[in-house]
Amino acid sequence: MKRYIVLPAIVGILLAIFLSRPASALDMTDPDNNPIVHNCASIKQSLRSLQRTDARVRSYLGSSYERILGSFITPLNLRLVSANQPNTNLTTLHSEIVDTRKNFISEYTSYAQSLDDLLASDCYGHPEDFYNKLVETRRRRDVLSTTTTNLRNLIAEHLTAVRKLKNTLGAKDVAE
């Protein structure tokens, strides 16, 4: 799992070094002094590596979220309702987790399409267009990162609420 965190960080650092200046500060008209043109092949290689890593991480996170919802959160809410002990806090958190998970799927799809467009663009012939697509892809990745953090926080909040409920009902009632 460390590999999934370290590789995107390295790619991000490389891209930040090569493209740290805003588009207006880059001389896009002079291919001899343009860092995008000079480093095009290595940038694209790093982006392809990032794309592969992100796909694996998305698969891992998506299946983890599905497993948490399908094996824990939803069955618990159904059990509480069938025992006539519904918990509005848990129900609200369940809905928020489901909605945020849907956002995660949508935002990942948008990010992946943006990354595909970036990789398909010509960084040698059209470095300014490439740079603009890179900025947009970064923005979409930041949005995705925020959603992933929100989802992780909601799941942690749900776990805290379950522990409170367990203490309120007693361990025996929840375990049955």
Side-chain angles (χ1 to χ4, degrees):
M1 191 62 199
K2 276 185 177 179
R3 200 170 77 206
Y4 296 126
I5 296 169
V6 174
L7 187 60
I10 292 170
V11 170
I13 291 168
L14 285 173
L15 290 174
I17 290 169
F18 293 130
L19 305 171
S20 60
R21 295 175 285 177
S24 60
L26 293 174
D27 184 4
M28 297 291 181
T29 60
D30 182 9
D32 294 333
N33 293 323
N34 190 319
I36 293 174
V37 174
H38 279 292
N39 300 296
C40 182
S42 63
I43 292 170
K44 286 214 175 187
Q45 182 179 4
S46 295
L47 288 170
R48 282 196 249 352
S49 179
L50 177 67
Q51 186 180 43
R52 286 188 301 273
T53 301
D54 282 351
R56 284 187 294 249
V57 171
R58 188 265 179 247
S59 177
Y60 171 77
L61 289 176
S63 63
S64 295
Y65 298 150
E66 184 62 34
R67 197 169 35 256
I68 290 167
L69 275 168
S71 299
F72 180 68
I73 295 174
T74 301
L76 175 63
N77 281 347
L78 292 174
R79 178 125 186 193
L80 288 171
V81 169
S82 69
N84 273 343
Q85 295 184 4
N87 184 298
T88 56
N89 187 32
L90 289 176
T91 302
T92 301
L93 284 169
H94 181 207
S95 294
E96 289 176 8
I97 291 169
V98 168
D99 290 344
T100 306
R101 183 180 157 271
K102 286 178 186 173
N103 288 344
F104 167 78
I105 292 167
S106 172
E107 289 165 2
Y108 181 84
T109 301
S110 176
Y111 161 70
Q113 289 171 346
S114 181
L115 186 55
D116 286 342
D117 289 347
L118 176 62
L119 284 166
S121 67
D122 179 13
C123 52
Y124 289 110
H126 304 285
E128 189 168 354
D129 183 47
F130 182 85
Y131 181 82
N132 291 334
K133 288 180 180 183
L134 175 65
V135 169
E136 178 61 20
T137 302
R138 282 179 178 166
R139 186 192 67 73
R140 289 176 191 244
R141 194 168 204 271
D142 287 343
V143 168
L144 178 62
S145 177
T146 300
T147 300
T148 302
T149 300
N150 291 344
L151 195 49
R152 187 174 52 243
N153 291 340
L154 285 168
I155 291 169
E157 193 176 332
H158 189 276
L159 183 58
T160 301
V162 168
R163 287 182 178 143
K164 282 182 186 178
L165 178 64
K166 180 179 176 182
N167 290 336
T168 302
L169 297 176
K172 183 180 179 200
D173 293 339
V174 175
E176 291 178 355

